[in-house]
Amino acid sequence: MSDPTTPSAPAGPGSPAVQAVRRMTPRSRTEEHRASTPLELFFDLCFVVAVAQAGGRLVHAVGDGHPGHGVVGYLTVFFAIWWAWMNFSWFASAYDTDDVLYRVTTLVQIVGVLILAAGVPRGFDDGDFRLTAIGYVVMRLALVTQWLRAARSAHRNGAVEERATALSYAVGVTVCQVGWVILLVPHGAPPVWVFALLAVAEMAVPPLAERHAPTSWHPRHIAERYGLFTIIVLGESVSAATVAVQSAVDSQASTAKLLPIAAGGLLIVFAAWWIYFAVPIHDHLASNQQAFLWGYGHFAVFTSAAAIGAGLEIAVRQATGEAEISTRAASAAVTLPSAVFLFTVWLLHSRHYKRGLAQQLTLPVSAVLVLVCTVTGSHAVLWSGLVCAAAVVVGVWQSARASK
């Protein structure tokens, strides 16, 4: 019989081990074939609802001529989505036991996601983020129970530093949730600077907690988890653009106006996928310092990827006369997030594998050119798509040339 404290891969569905409550011991960082579990994939899928709600409200706010309100609300809600997802993913990479208690606690976190999503329209429209805050707190406190389980197992195994790390996470996350409840539940929405202060406090918890001992997250698993969420937000962009075009077609809008937006949007999304997965980033994640910078930087990657879909929907609405904004503003709704995506993917991924000035400049220059496309009028989305496609072609050519 194996030692119950020895890290091992989760048992498969239906296995007797799944029915038991086991010790939450760290998994090996060098474990082979470490892949996302069905529970993690289900967890990601449920986040699609919240991402769709945030993107949909951004479309309405910008389309109605309130871009400032829309962008602030979108970033606020997306922070809650991203941070809860990220904390779960890193914890699961280190401590996934896949027993009954772990599964139930994860399902509770999913309930929190759905509560958060239900509160998004009220937060955008009325500035009342109380329901969103409740959903967020449910997700975060469920994670606290996971950290307490990890601390208890570490104590039983005599792992003093590991226990200190787990308890630091549990205490830090709990203190932050108390702050959110005090500021959001009674009043609905705090000033922006207060929200920013609490967000910084949340992001400070992992670096402070891992000073005792780093958790045993798995580089390949983490890279896969982030890649899967990138696919989810890009897929949401395709879905949002499809719905927008379908609505325009149903209203018998001009095909000449819609085709350039649809073609350019597809080129942007296809290029975004290609560029993100062009290099194997897991080899770069060799330490906590590198991993924290890379993981936190993905806030810009995820928000921009999801905003591309919202921008395409705004562009369609403007082209059909349903949005109270100018052509240039509608174009910027697509070009700005597209440029941010290109630049941040270069900053986080590509620059670590590029050799020579020409390779290093491809994506930053492409980001600038996409921004320039904003002033090209009604065909800005198409021109942006062509620039993104050209960036892929140039990158492939450079790689082929370098490998000779």
Side-chain angles (χ1 to χ4, degrees):
M1 181 178 295
S2 62
D3 182 356
T5 65
T6 301
S8 60
S15 168
V18 174
Q19 305 303 320
V21 176
R22 300 181 292 170
R23 290 191 186 183
M24 186 171 276
T25 53
R27 298 183 62 157
S28 173
R29 192 167 183 174
T30 59
E31 178 184 331
E32 296 183 357
H33 309 298
R34 179 74 167 96
S36 297
T37 65
L39 182 59
E40 288 175 316
L41 298 177
F42 183 50
F43 186 83
D44 291 354
L45 183 62
C46 293
F47 269 79
V48 173
V49 179
V51 172
Q53 287 280 13
R57 305 320 291 184
L58 176 62
V59 169
H60 287 292
V62 175
D64 292 340
H66 307 291
H69 171 74
V71 170
V72 171
Y74 173 75
L75 294 177
T76 299
V77 170
F78 211 101
F79 173 83
I81 297 170
W82 162 75
W83 189 245
W85 175 87
M86 194 175 83
N87 277 238
F88 166 80
S89 296
W90 287 83
F91 178 89
S93 188
Y95 288 102
D96 185 0
T97 60
D98 198 32
D99 60 8
V100 171
L101 188 54
Y102 179 87
R103 290 185 172 196
V104 171
T105 306
T106 302
L107 294 177
V108 171
Q109 290 177 270
I110 291 176
V111 171
V113 175
L114 300 180
I115 295 173
L116 183 149
V120 169
R122 183 181 300 176
F124 265 85
D125 298 341
D126 305 325
D128 185 355
F129 288 94
R130 281 177 288 190
L131 188 58
T132 299
I134 291 171
Y136 179 76
V137 171
V138 168
M139 288 189 288
R140 303 294 284 141
L141 292 183
L143 184 63
V144 168
T145 66
Q146 300 279 44
W147 281 116
L148 291 176
R149 280 193 67 195
R152 182 172 181 269
S153 294
H155 176 69
R156 293 175 65 182
N157 295 337
V160 178
E161 291 186 342
E162 179 191 325
R163 178 176 181 269
T165 297
L167 287 177
S168 295
Y169 267 109
V171 172
V173 172
T174 301
V175 169
C176 289
Q177 302 326 295
V178 171
W180 290 117
V181 170
I182 292 174
L183 290 171
L184 282 175
V185 174
H187 308 294
V192 174
W193 70 268
V194 175
F195 173 86
L197 187 63
L198 278 172
V200 170
E202 287 269 21
M203 292 188 291
V205 172
L208 292 175
E210 304 228 359
R211 290 182 305 168
H212 303 286
T215 52
S216 58
W217 50 270
H218 195 288
R220 286 183 179 270
H221 177 247
I222 283 296
E224 182 192 26
R225 298 291 297 121
Y226 274 71
L228 289 172
F229 201 75
T230 301
I231 290 175
I232 284 177
V233 292
L234 287 175
E236 183 58 36
S237 290
V238 173
S239 176
T242 302
V243 170
V245 172
Q246 182 61 53
S247 299
V249 170
D250 291 342
S251 65
Q252 298 181 343
S254 172
T255 303
K257 294 181 178 179
L258 297 179
L259 282 180
I261 297 175
L266 285 177
L267 287 174
I268 291 171
V269 174
F270 291 167
W273 172 84
W274 192 298
I275 291 168
Y276 185 90
F277 291 100
V279 295
I281 194 60
H282 60 267
D283 290 333
H284 173 67
L285 306 179
S287 68
N288 267 7
Q289 181 179 1
Q290 293 167 322
F292 280 140
L293 292 173
W294 178 84
Y296 284 16
H298 267 72
F299 178 70
V301 174
F302 292 153
T303 53
S304 60
I308 290 172
L312 292 173
E313 190 169 352
I314 291 167
V316 170
R317 291 185 60 187
Q318 195 279 332
T320 56
E322 298 178 10
E324 301 176 4
I325 55 175
S326 65
T327 300
R328 183 168 295 182
S331 300
V334 178
T335 59
L336 182 57
S338 299
V340 170
F341 183 89
L342 292 176
F343 182 78
T344 52
V345 169
W346 168 79
L347 189 64
L348 298 174
H349 280 211
S350 304
R351 69 184 179 90
H352 302 296
Y353 296 88
K354 299 296 184 182
R355 298 294 179 267
L357 184 62
Q359 288 191 16
Q360 287 289 2
L361 288 178
T362 299
L363 288 181
V365 169
S366 298
V368 173
L369 291 177
V370 167
L371 288 177
V372 172
C373 290
T374 307
V375 301
T376 58
S378 59
H379 286 70
V381 176
L382 179 59
W383 281 113
S384 298
L386 292 172
V387 168
C388 292
V392 172
V393 172
V394 171
V396 170
W397 175 76
Q398 289 174 335
S399 297
R401 186 180 180 185
S403 62
K404 291 182 179 180

